[in-house]
Coordinates of all heavy atoms in Angstrom, one line a residue:
H1 N 119.9 81.8 117.3 CA 119.7 83.3 117.6 C 118.8 83.3 118.9 O 118.3 82.1 119.3 CB 118.9 83.8 116.5 CG 119.6 83.5 115.1 ND1 120.9 83.4 115.0 CD2 119.1 83.3 113.8 CE1 121.3 83.2 113.8 NE2 120.2 83.0 113.1
F2 N 118.7 84.3 119.6 CA 118.2 84.3 120.9 C 118.8 83.5 121.9 O 118.2 82.9 122.7 CB 116.6 84.1 120.8 CG 115.8 85.1 120.0 CD1 115.4 84.9 118.6 CD2 115.7 86.5 120.4 CE1 114.8 85.9 118.0 CE2 115.0 87.4 119.7 CZ 114.6 87.1 118.4
Q3 N 120.1 83.3 121.8 CA 120.9 82.4 122.6 C 121.8 83.3 123.3 O 122.3 84.3 122.8 CB 121.7 81.4 121.8 CG 120.9 80.5 120.8 CD 119.9 79.6 121.7 OE1 120.4 79.0 122.8 NE2 118.7 79.4 121.4
P4 N 122.3 82.9 124.5 CA 123.3 83.7 125.3 C 124.5 84.1 124.4 O 125.0 85.2 124.5 CB 123.6 82.9 126.5 CG 122.4 82.0 126.6 CD 121.8 81.7 125.3
A5 N 125.0 83.2 123.6 CA 126.2 83.4 122.9 C 126.0 84.3 121.8 O 126.9 85.1 121.3 CB 126.6 82.0 122.3
A6 N 124.7 84.7 121.5 CA 124.4 85.8 120.5 C 124.0 87.0 121.2 O 123.6 87.9 120.4 CB 123.4 85.3 119.5
G7 N 124.0 87.1 122.5 CA 123.7 88.3 123.2 C 122.4 88.2 123.9 O 122.0 89.2 124.6
S8 N 121.7 87.1 124.0 CA 120.4 87.1 124.7 C 120.6 87.1 126.1 O 121.6 86.6 126.6 CB 119.8 85.7 124.3 OG 118.6 85.5 125.1
R9 N 119.8 87.9 126.8 CA 119.8 88.0 128.2 C 118.4 87.5 128.8 O 118.0 87.9 129.8 CB 120.1 89.3 128.7 CG 121.5 89.8 128.3 CD 122.0 91.2 128.8 NE 121.1 92.2 128.3 CZ 120.7 93.3 129.1 NH1 121.1 93.3 130.3 NH2 120.0 94.3 128.5
K10 N 117.9 86.6 128.1 CA 116.6 85.9 128.7 C 116.7 85.3 130.0 O 115.7 85.5 130.8 CB 116.2 84.8 127.6 CG 114.8 84.2 128.0 CD 114.4 83.2 126.9 CE 113.1 82.7 127.4 NZ 112.5 81.7 126.3
R11 N 117.8 84.8 130.3 CA 118.0 84.3 131.7 C 118.0 85.3 132.8 O 117.7 85.1 133.9 CB 119.4 83.4 131.9 CG 119.4 82.2 130.9 CD 120.6 81.4 131.0 NE 120.6 80.3 130.2 CZ 121.7 79.8 129.6 NH1 123.0 80.3 129.9 NH2 121.5 78.7 128.8
Q12 N 118.3 86.5 132.5 CA 118.1 87.7 133.4 C 116.8 88.3 133.2 O 116.6 89.4 133.7 CB 119.3 88.7 133.0 CG 120.7 88.3 133.4 CD 121.3 87.4 132.3 OE1 120.9 87.4 131.1 NE2 122.4 86.7 132.6
L13 N 115.8 87.7 132.6 CA 114.5 88.1 132.4 C 114.3 89.3 131.5 O 113.4 90.2 131.7 CB 113.8 88.3 133.7 CG 113.9 87.2 134.8 CD1 113.2 87.5 136.0 CD2 113.1 85.9 134.0
V14 N 115.3 89.5 130.6 CA 115.2 90.6 129.6 C 114.3 90.1 128.4 O 114.6 89.0 127.8 CB 116.6 90.9 129.0 CG1 116.5 92.0 127.9 CG2 117.4 91.5 130.2
Q15 N 113.3 90.9 128.2 CA 112.4 90.5 127.1 C 113.1 90.4 125.7 O 113.8 91.2 125.3 CB 111.3 91.6 126.9 CG 110.3 91.4 125.6 CD 109.5 90.1 125.9 OE1 108.8 89.9 126.9 NE2 109.5 89.3 124.9
Q16 N 112.7 89.2 125.0 CA 113.3 89.1 123.7 C 112.5 89.7 122.6 O 111.3 89.5 122.7 CB 113.6 87.5 123.4 CG 114.3 86.8 124.5 CD 115.7 87.3 124.7 OE1 116.6 86.9 123.9 NE2 115.9 88.0 125.6
V17 N 113.0 90.4 121.6 CA 112.3 91.1 120.6 C 112.9 90.8 119.3 O 113.9 90.9 119.0 CB 112.4 92.6 121.0 CG1 111.6 93.6 119.9 CG2 111.8 93.1 122.4
L18 N 112.0 90.7 118.5 CA 112.3 90.5 117.0 C 111.5 91.5 116.0 O 110.3 91.6 116.3 CB 111.9 89.0 116.5 CG 112.0 88.7 115.0 CD1 113.4 88.8 114.6 CD2 111.4 87.3 114.9
V19 N 112.2 92.1 115.2 CA 111.6 93.1 114.2 C 111.8 92.6 112.9 O 112.8 92.4 112.4 CB 112.1 94.5 114.3 CG1 111.4 95.3 113.2 CG2 111.8 95.0 115.7
L20 N 110.6 92.0 112.3 CA 110.7 91.4 110.9 C 110.2 92.5 110.0 O 109.2 93.0 110.0 CB 109.7 90.2 110.9 CG 109.5 89.7 109.5 CD1 110.7 88.8 109.0 CD2 108.3 88.8 109.4
I21 N 111.2 92.7 109.0 CA 110.8 93.7 107.9 C 110.7 93.0 106.6 O 111.7 92.3 106.3 CB 111.9 94.8 107.8 CG1 112.0 95.6 109.2 CG2 111.6 95.9 106.8 CD1 113.1 96.6 109.4
T22 N 109.6 93.1 105.9 CA 109.6 92.5 104.6 C 109.0 93.4 103.5 O 108.3 94.3 103.9 CB 108.7 91.3 104.7 OG1 108.5 90.5 103.5 CG2 107.2 91.7 105.2
G23 N 109.3 93.2 102.3 CA 108.9 94.0 101.2 C 108.0 93.2 100.2 O 107.7 93.6 99.1
G24 N 107.6 92.0 100.6 CA 106.8 91.2 99.7 C 106.3 90.0 100.3 O 106.5 89.7 101.5
A25 N 105.8 89.0 99.5 CA 105.3 87.8 100.0 C 106.4 86.9 100.4 O 107.6 86.9 99.8 CB 104.5 87.1 98.8
S26 N 106.2 86.1 101.4 CA 107.2 85.3 101.9 C 107.4 84.0 101.1 O 106.5 83.5 100.5 CB 106.8 84.6 103.4 OG 107.7 83.7 103.7
Q27 N 108.6 83.5 100.9 CA 108.9 82.3 100.1 C 109.1 81.1 101.1 O 109.3 80.1 100.5 CB 110.2 82.5 99.3 CG 110.0 83.7 98.3 CD 108.9 83.5 97.3 OE1 108.8 82.4 96.7 NE2 108.1 84.5 97.2
D28 N 109.0 81.3 102.4 CA 109.3 80.4 103.3 C 108.0 80.0 104.2 O 107.1 80.8 104.2 CB 110.5 80.7 104.2 CG 111.7 81.1 103.4 OD1 112.1 80.1 102.7 OD2 112.3 82.1 103.7
E29 N 108.2 79.1 105.1 CA 107.0 78.7 106.0 C 107.2 79.6 107.3 O 107.7 79.2 108.2 CB 107.2 77.3 106.4 CG 106.1 76.8 107.3 CD 104.6 77.0 106.9 OE1 104.4 76.8 105.6 OE2 103.8 77.6 107.6
V30 N 106.9 80.9 107.1 CA 107.1 81.9 108.2 C 106.2 81.8 109.4 O 106.5 81.8 110.5 CB 107.2 83.3 107.5 CG1 107.3 84.3 108.7 CG2 108.3 83.5 106.5
K31 N 104.9 81.4 109.1 CA 104.0 81.4 110.1 C 104.3 80.5 111.2 O 104.2 80.6 112.3 CB 102.5 81.1 109.5 CG 101.5 81.0 110.4 CD 101.2 82.2 111.3 CE 100.1 82.1 112.2 NZ 100.3 82.7 113.5
R32 N 104.7 79.2 110.7 CA 105.1 78.1 111.7 C 106.3 78.5 112.6 O 106.1 78.3 113.7 CB 105.6 76.9 110.9 CG 105.8 75.6 111.8 CD 106.2 74.4 111.0 NE 107.2 74.6 109.9 CZ 108.5 74.6 110.2 NH1 108.9 74.5 111.5 NH2 109.4 74.9 109.3
V33 N 107.2 79.1 111.9 CA 108.3 79.7 112.7 C 108.0 80.8 113.6 O 108.3 80.8 114.8 CB 109.5 80.1 111.8 CG1 110.7 80.7 112.5 CG2 110.0 78.9 110.9
A34 N 107.0 81.6 113.2 CA 106.6 82.7 114.1 C 105.8 82.3 115.2 O 105.9 82.8 116.3 CB 105.7 83.6 113.2
D35 N 105.1 81.2 115.0 CA 104.5 80.6 116.1 C 105.4 80.0 117.2 O 105.1 80.2 118.3 CB 103.4 79.5 115.6 CG 102.2 80.1 115.0 OD1 101.9 81.2 115.0 OD2 101.5 79.2 114.2
K36 N 106.4 79.3 116.7 CA 107.4 78.8 117.6 C 108.1 80.0 118.5 O 108.3 79.7 119.6 CB 108.5 78.0 116.9 CG 107.9 76.7 116.5 CD 109.0 75.9 115.5 CE 109.4 74.6 116.1 NZ 110.2 73.8 115.3
V37 N 108.4 81.0 117.6 CA 109.1 82.1 118.4 C 108.2 82.7 119.4 O 108.6 83.0 120.5 CB 109.6 83.1 117.3 CG1 110.0 84.4 117.9 CG2 110.6 82.6 116.4
A38 N 106.9 82.8 119.0 CA 105.9 83.4 120.1 C 105.8 82.6 121.3 O 105.8 83.1 122.4 CB 104.5 83.6 119.3
V39 N 105.8 81.3 121.1 CA 105.6 80.3 122.2 C 106.9 80.4 123.2 O 106.8 80.3 124.3 CB 105.4 78.8 121.7 CG1 105.6 77.8 122.8 CG2 104.0 78.6 121.1
A40 N 108.0 80.8 122.5 CA 109.3 80.9 123.3 C 109.2 82.2 124.0 O 110.3 82.4 124.7 CB 110.4 80.8 122.4
G41 N 108.2 83.0 123.8 CA 108.2 84.3 124.4 C 108.9 85.5 123.8 O 109.0 86.4 124.3
V42 N 109.2 85.3 122.6 CA 109.7 86.5 121.8 C 108.7 87.4 121.4 O 107.6 86.8 120.8 CB 110.6 85.8 120.6 CG1 111.2 87.1 119.8 CG2 111.8 85.0 121.0
L43 N 108.8 88.7 121.6 CA 107.9 89.7 121.1 C 108.3 90.0 119.6 O 109.2 90.6 119.4 CB 107.9 90.9 122.1 CG 107.0 92.1 121.8 CD1 105.5 91.5 122.2 CD2 107.3 93.2 122.6
T44 N 107.4 89.6 118.8 CA 107.7 89.9 117.4 C 106.9 91.1 116.8 O 105.6 91.2 116.9 CB 107.3 88.7 116.4 OG1 108.0 87.6 117.0 CG2 107.7 89.0 115.1
F45 N 107.5 92.1 116.3 CA 106.9 93.2 115.5 C 107.1 92.8 113.9 O 108.2 92.3 113.5 CB 107.7 94.5 115.7 CG 107.5 95.0 117.1 CD1 108.3 94.5 118.1 CD2 106.5 96.0 117.5 CE1 108.3 95.0 119.4 CE2 106.5 96.5 118.7 CZ 107.3 95.9 119.7
A46 N 106.0 93.0 113.1 CA 106.1 92.8 111.7 C 105.9 94.0 111.0 O 104.9 94.7 111.3 CB 105.1 91.7 111.4
V47 N 106.8 94.4 110.1 CA 106.8 95.7 109.4 C 106.8 95.3 107.9 O 107.7 94.6 107.4 CB 108.1 96.6 109.7 CG1 108.0 97.8 109.0 CG2 108.1 96.7 111.3
G48 N 105.8 95.8 107.2 CA 105.8 95.4 105.8 C 105.9 96.7 105.0 O 105.4 97.8 105.4
V49 N 106.5 96.5 103.8 CA 106.7 97.8 102.9 C 106.3 97.3 101.5 O 106.4 96.2 101.2 CB 108.3 98.1 103.0 CG1 108.5 99.4 102.0 CG2 108.7 98.5 104.3
G50 N 105.7 98.3 100.8 CA 105.4 98.0 99.3 C 104.5 97.0 99.3 O 103.2 97.1 99.6
R51 N 104.8 95.9 98.6 CA 103.9 94.8 98.1 C 103.6 93.8 99.3 O 103.0 92.7 99.2 CB 104.4 94.1 96.9 CG 104.4 95.1 95.7 CD 104.8 94.3 94.5 NE 105.6 93.1 94.8 CZ 106.6 92.7 94.0 NH1 106.9 93.3 92.9 NH2 107.3 91.5 94.2
A52 N 104.1 94.1 100.5 CA 103.8 93.2 101.6 C 102.3 93.1 101.8 O 101.6 94.0 101.8 CB 104.5 93.6 102.9
D53 N 102.0 91.8 102.4 CA 100.5 91.5 102.6 C 100.2 91.9 104.1 O 100.8 91.3 105.0 CB 100.3 90.0 102.5 CG 98.9 89.5 102.7 OD1 98.1 90.1 103.6 OD2 98.4 88.7 101.9
R54 N 99.3 92.9 104.2 CA 99.0 93.4 105.6 C 98.4 92.2 106.4 O 98.7 92.1 107.7 CB 98.0 94.5 105.5 CG 98.7 95.7 104.9 CD 97.6 96.9 104.8 NE 98.1 97.7 103.9 CZ 97.9 99.1 104.1 NH1 97.3 99.7 105.2 NH2 98.5 100.0 103.2
G55 N 97.5 91.4 105.8 CA 97.0 90.2 106.7 C 98.1 89.4 107.1 O 98.1 88.8 108.3
F56 N 99.1 89.0 106.4 CA 100.3 88.2 106.7 C 101.0 88.8 107.9 O 101.4 88.1 108.8 CB 101.1 88.0 105.5 CG 102.4 87.3 105.8 CD1 102.5 85.9 105.9 CD2 103.6 88.0 105.9 CE1 103.7 85.2 106.3 CE2 104.8 87.3 106.1 CZ 104.8 86.0 106.4
L57 N 101.3 90.1 107.8 CA 101.9 90.8 108.8 C 101.2 90.6 110.2 O 101.9 90.4 111.2 CB 102.1 92.4 108.6 CG 102.9 92.6 107.3 CD1 102.7 94.2 107.1 CD2 104.3 92.4 107.4
E58 N 99.9 90.7 110.1 CA 99.3 90.7 111.4 C 99.3 89.0 112.0 O 99.3 89.0 113.2 CB 97.7 90.9 111.2 CG 97.6 92.4 110.9 CD 96.1 92.8 110.7 OE1 95.2 92.1 110.7 OE2 95.9 94.1 110.6
T59 N 99.4 88.2 111.1 CA 99.5 86.8 111.6 C 100.9 86.5 112.1 O 101.1 85.6 112.9 CB 99.1 85.6 110.5 OG1 100.0 85.8 109.5 CG2 97.8 85.9 110.1
V60 N 101.9 87.1 111.6 CA 103.3 86.9 112.1 C 103.7 87.6 113.2 O 104.4 87.1 114.1 CB 104.3 87.2 110.8 CG1 105.7 87.2 111.3 CG2 104.0 86.2 109.6
A61 N 103.0 88.8 113.4 CA 103.3 89.6 114.6 C 102.8 88.9 115.8 O 101.9 88.1 115.8 CB 102.6 91.0 114.5
F62 N 103.4 89.1 117.1 CA 103.1 88.5 118.3 C 101.5 88.7 118.5 O 100.8 87.8 118.8 CB 103.8 89.0 119.5 CG 103.7 88.5 120.8 CD1 104.4 87.3 120.9 CD2 102.8 88.9 121.7 CE1 104.3 86.6 122.2 CE2 102.7 88.2 122.9 CZ 103.4 87.0 123.2
V63 N 101.1 89.9 118.3 CA 99.6 90.2 118.2 C 99.5 91.1 117.1 O 100.3 91.8 116.6 CB 99.1 90.8 119.5 CG1 99.1 89.8 120.8 CG2 99.9 92.2 119.8
P64 N 98.1 91.1 116.5 CA 98.0 92.0 115.3 C 98.3 93.5 115.5 O 98.7 94.1 114.5 CB 96.4 91.7 115.1 CG 96.1 90.4 115.5 CD 97.0 90.2 116.8
S65 N 98.2 94.0 116.6 CA 98.5 95.4 116.8 C 100.0 95.7 116.6 O 100.3 96.9 116.7 CB 97.9 95.9 118.1 OG 98.6 95.2 119.2
L66 N 100.8 94.7 116.6 CA 102.2 94.9 116.5 C 102.6 94.7 114.9 O 103.8 94.5 114.7 CB 103.0 93.9 117.4 CG 102.8 94.2 118.9 CD1 103.7 93.2 119.7 CD2 103.0 95.6 119.2
A67 N 101.8 94.9 114.1 CA 102.0 94.8 112.6 C 101.9 96.2 112.2 O 101.0 96.9 112.4 CB 101.0 93.9 112.0
Y68 N 102.8 96.6 111.2 CA 102.9 97.9 110.8 C 103.2 97.9 109.2 O 103.8 96.9 108.8 CB 104.1 98.8 111.5 CG 104.0 98.8 112.9 CD1 104.5 97.8 113.7 CD2 103.3 99.8 113.5 CE1 104.4 97.7 115.1 CE2 103.1 99.9 114.9 CZ 103.6 98.8 115.7 OH 103.5 99.0 117.1
Y69 N 102.8 98.9 108.6 CA 102.9 98.9 107.1 C 103.3 100.3 106.6 O 102.6 101.3 107.1 CB 101.5 98.4 106.5 CG 101.7 98.6 104.9 CD1 102.2 97.5 104.2 CD2 101.2 99.6 104.3 CE1 102.3 97.5 102.9 CE2 101.4 99.7 102.9 CZ 101.9 98.6 102.2 OH 102.1 98.7 100.8
E70 N 104.2 100.4 105.7 CA 104.5 101.7 105.0 C 104.6 101.5 103.5 O 104.7 100.3 103.1 CB 105.8 102.2 105.5 CG 105.9 102.7 106.9 CD 105.1 103.9 107.1 OE1 104.9 104.7 106.1 OE2 104.5 104.2 108.2
N71 N 104.3 102.4 102.8 CA 104.3 102.3 101.3 C 105.7 102.2 100.6 O 105.7 101.5 99.6 CB 103.5 103.5 100.7 CG 102.1 103.5 100.9 OD1 101.4 102.5 101.0 ND2 101.4 104.6 101.2
S72 N 106.7 102.7 101.3 CA 108.0 102.6 100.8 C 109.1 102.6 101.9 O 108.7 102.9 103.0 CB 108.3 103.8 100.0 OG 108.4 105.0 100.8
F73 N 110.2 102.0 101.5 CA 111.3 101.8 102.4 C 111.8 103.1 103.0 O 112.2 103.3 104.2 CB 112.5 101.2 101.9 CG 112.3 99.5 101.8 CD1 111.7 99.0 100.7 CD2 112.5 98.8 102.9 CE1 111.6 97.6 100.6 CE2 112.4 97.4 102.7 CZ 111.8 96.9 101.7
S74 N 111.6 104.2 102.2 CA 112.0 105.5 102.7 C 111.1 106.0 103.8 O 111.4 107.1 104.5 CB 112.2 106.5 101.5 OG 110.8 106.7 100.9
S75 N 110.0 105.4 103.9 CA 109.0 105.7 105.0 C 109.2 105.0 106.3 O 108.5 105.2 107.3 CB 107.6 105.7 104.6 OG 107.3 106.5 103.4
L76 N 110.2 104.1 106.3 CA 110.3 103.2 107.5 C 110.6 104.1 108.8 O 110.3 103.5 109.9 CB 111.5 102.2 107.3 CG 111.1 100.9 106.5 CD1 112.2 100.1 106.3 CD2 109.8 100.2 107.1
Q77 N 111.1 105.1 108.6 CA 111.5 106.0 109.9 C 110.2 106.3 110.6 O 110.2 106.5 111.8 CB 112.2 107.3 109.6 CG 111.4 108.2 108.6 CD 112.3 109.4 108.1 OE1 113.4 109.5 108.4 NE2 111.6 110.4 107.5
N78 N 109.0 106.4 109.9 CA 107.7 106.5 110.6 C 107.4 105.5 111.5 O 106.8 105.6 112.6 CB 106.6 106.8 109.5 CG 106.9 107.8 108.6 OD1 107.5 108.9 108.9 ND2 106.4 107.8 107.4
V79 N 107.8 104.3 111.3 CA 107.5 103.1 112.1 C 108.2 103.1 113.3 O 107.8 102.7 114.3 CB 107.7 101.7 111.2 CG1 107.5 100.5 112.2 CG2 106.8 101.7 110.0
Q80 N 109.5 103.6 113.3 CA 110.2 103.7 114.6 C 109.5 104.3 115.7 O 109.5 103.7 116.7 CB 111.6 104.4 114.3 CG 112.4 104.5 115.5 CD 113.7 105.2 115.3 OE1 114.0 105.7 114.2 NE2 114.5 105.3 116.3
S81 N 109.0 105.4 115.5 CA 108.2 106.0 116.7 C 107.1 105.2 117.0 O 106.7 105.2 118.3 CB 107.9 107.5 116.3 OG 107.1 107.6 115.2
Q82 N 106.3 104.6 116.1 CA 105.2 103.9 116.4 C 105.5 102.6 117.3 O 104.8 102.2 118.1 CB 104.5 103.3 115.1 CG 103.8 104.5 114.3 CD 103.3 103.9 113.0 OE1 102.7 102.9 112.8 NE2 103.6 104.7 112.0
I83 N 106.6 102.0 116.9 CA 107.0 100.8 117.6 C 107.5 101.1 119.0 O 107.4 100.3 119.9 CB 108.1 100.1 116.8 CG1 107.6 99.3 115.6 CG2 108.9 99.1 117.7 CD1 108.6 98.8 114.8
M84 N 108.1 102.3 119.2 CA 108.6 102.6 120.6 C 107.7 102.5 121.7 O 108.0 102.2 122.8 CB 109.3 104.0 120.5 CG 110.6 104.0 119.7 SD 111.8 102.6 120.1 CE 112.2 103.1 121.8
V85 N 106.4 102.9 121.4 CA 105.4 102.9 122.5 C 105.0 101.5 123.1 O 105.3 101.3 124.3 CB 104.1 103.6 121.9 CG1 103.0 103.3 123.0 CG2 104.3 105.1 121.7
P86 N 104.8 100.5 122.2 CA 104.6 99.3 122.8 C 105.9 98.6 123.2 O 105.9 97.8 124.2 CB 104.1 98.3 121.7 CG 104.3 99.1 120.4 CD 104.3 100.6 120.8
L87 N 106.9 98.9 122.7 CA 108.3 98.4 123.1 C 108.7 98.9 124.4 O 109.1 98.0 125.3 CB 109.5 98.7 122.1 CG 110.9 98.2 122.3 CD1 110.8 96.6 122.3 CD2 111.8 98.7 121.3
V88 N 108.5 100.2 124.7 CA 108.9 100.6 126.1 C 107.8 100.2 127.1 O 108.2 99.8 128.2 CB 108.8 102.3 126.0 CG1 108.9 102.7 127.4 CG2 110.1 102.7 125.2
T89 N 106.5 100.0 126.7 CA 105.6 99.4 127.6 C 106.0 97.9 128.0 O 106.0 97.6 129.2 CB 104.3 99.3 127.0 OG1 103.8 100.6 126.6 CG2 103.3 98.7 127.8
V90 N 106.5 97.2 127.2 CA 106.9 95.7 127.5 C 108.4 95.7 128.0 O 108.6 95.1 129.2 CB 106.8 94.9 126.3 CG1 107.3 93.5 126.5 CG2 105.4 94.8 125.9
V91 N 109.4 96.4 127.4 CA 110.7 96.3 127.8 C 111.1 97.3 129.0 O 111.9 97.0 129.8 CB 111.6 96.4 126.6 CG1 113.0 96.3 127.1 CG2 111.2 95.4 125.6
G92 N 110.5 98.4 129.0 CA 110.8 99.5 129.9 C 111.5 100.6 129.2 O 112.0 100.5 128.1
D93 N 111.6 101.7 129.9 CA 112.3 103.0 129.4 C 113.7 102.5 129.0 O 114.5 102.1 129.9 CB 112.2 104.0 130.5 CG 112.7 105.4 129.8 OD1 113.4 105.4 128.8 OD2 112.4 106.5 130.5
L94 N 114.2 102.7 127.8 CA 115.4 102.5 127.4 C 116.5 103.2 128.1 O 117.6 102.8 128.3 CB 115.6 102.7 125.9 CG 114.7 101.9 125.0 CD1 114.9 102.1 123.5 CD2 114.8 100.4 125.3
H95 N 116.2 104.4 128.7 CA 117.2 105.2 129.4 C 117.4 104.6 130.9 O 118.5 104.9 131.5 CB 116.7 106.6 129.6 CG 116.6 107.3 128.2 ND1 117.7 107.5 127.4 CD2 115.4 107.7 127.6 CE1 117.3 108.0 126.3 NE2 116.0 108.2 126.4
T96 N 116.5 103.7 131.4 CA 116.6 103.2 132.7 C 117.4 101.8 132.7 O 117.8 101.2 133.6 CB 115.4 103.0 133.5 OG1 114.5 102.2 132.8 CG2 114.7 104.5 133.6
V97 N 117.5 101.2 131.4 CA 118.1 100.0 131.3 C 119.6 100.1 131.5 O 120.2 100.9 130.9 CB 117.9 99.3 129.9 CG1 118.5 98.0 129.8 CG2 116.4 99.1 129.8
T98 N 120.2 99.2 132.4 CA 121.6 99.2 132.6 C 122.3 98.0 131.9 O 121.8 96.9 131.9 CB 122.1 99.3 134.0 OG1 121.5 98.1 134.7 CG2 121.4 100.5 134.8
Q99 N 123.5 98.2 131.5 CA 124.3 97.1 130.9 C 124.9 96.4 132.1 O 125.5 96.9 132.9 CB 125.3 97.6 130.0 CG 124.8 98.4 128.8 CD 124.2 97.5 127.8 OE1 124.7 96.3 127.5 NE2 123.2 97.9 127.0
N100 N 125.0 95.1 131.9 CA 125.7 94.1 132.9 C 127.1 93.9 132.4 O 127.5 93.9 131.4 CB 125.1 92.8 133.0 CG 123.7 92.9 133.7 OD1 123.4 93.9 134.5 ND2 122.9 92.0 133.6

């Protein structure tokens, strides 16, 4: 993932973004992988729902301010507008991005 064959345009200096959505405690070694992804320059947003651990979300996100929490999956639409502000700040206005 995050490879040119999968659609990555990192070589064209396009910011790589990952949105992780979880509804509970991780069963995997997510923190180690999240650190590797961050070192590779991928901007990670962490979104938790329901029983997700807010502290865990903050450690997995690229920076703690990119961690979001909602009480239910039906409320996830609220996160979309919250994520857009930092996303547009880093990636740029989506209306000005051109396809190659």
Side-chain angles (χ1 to χ4, degrees):
H1 314 327
F2 297 107
Q3 303 295 320
S8 172
R9 293 188 297 141
K10 183 176 181 178
R11 292 182 183 150
Q12 290 84 19
L13 304 178
V14 174
Q15 175 66 52
Q16 307 298 283
V17 176
L18 169 67
V19 178
L20 171 74
I21 301 174
T22 183
S26 172
Q27 302 298 314
D28 302 309
E29 181 55 45
V30 177
K31 177 62 175 140
R32 182 179 55 79
V33 174
D35 289 344
K36 286 176 120 177
V37 169
V39 168
V42 177
L43 183 66
T44 301
F45 293 81
V47 180
V49 180
R51 297 185 334 216
D53 181 321
R54 293 178 196 218
F56 172 77
L57 297 172
E58 291 179 359
T59 63
V60 172
F62 190 79
V63 294
S65 64
L66 297 181
Y68 302 87
Y69 179 83
E70 288 294 331
N71 289 321
S72 67
F73 281 96
S74 62
S75 299
L76 281 178
Q77 64 187 6
N78 300 332
V79 174
Q80 179 183 357
S81 60
Q82 295 173 40
I83 285 178
M84 290 309 293
V85 172
L87 183 61
V88 169
T89 300
V90 173
V91 176
D93 186 345
L94 300 179
H95 298 293
T96 61
V97 176
T98 58
Q99 297 285 331
N100 289 340

